[in-house]
Amino acid sequence: MTDWSWDYNPSAEYVAGGLPPGVVAEVERLAGELAVLGHDSVRVGRPLDREGGLREFDLLGGRGFISFLPVPRHECVYVCHVTWYG
């Protein structure tokens, strides 16, 4: 278990505004799981050939994806964008 947290960047309204409640719940669940990984979150998702930087992770079986930025210095995973195909 780590002391990492997660947050929306720049805000929850900007990133998740207008998404169905079930999608928002899944985004927040995944963000919590990424925060539990702590520093290892820099290697999760795409791109597969390097670690760090803005990363992507599939959402609800490929019906969308989240873009997130793990920042070890802040001990935080920032959810930056959600793409939902519906």
Side-chain angles (χ1 to χ4, degrees):
M1 194 78 146
T2 68
D3 291 332
W4 279 48
S5 61
W6 72 271
D7 199 0
Y8 289 105
N9 184 10
S11 69
E13 179 60 33
Y14 182 84
V15 175
L19 291 173
V23 174
V24 174
E26 181 65 5
V27 167
E28 293 179 355
R29 185 191 71 78
L30 286 173
E33 295 293 324
L34 290 166
V36 167
L37 288 175
H39 192 274
D40 290 333
S41 64
V42 300
R43 293 188 293 270
V44 173
R46 295 179 299 269
L48 300 174
D49 58 343
R50 63 182 165 82
E51 63 182 53
L54 190 64
R55 316 217 33 99
E56 293 178 349
F57 196 79
D58 285 341
L59 181 63
L60 293 170
R63 295 174 60 195
F65 63 91
I66 63 172
S67 298
F68 63 96
L69 182 64
V71 181
R73 179 178 42 152
H74 295 174
E75 293 188 343
C76 190
V77 174
Y78 295 102
V79 177
C80 302
H81 186 76
V82 178
T83 299
W84 177 243
Y85 302 120

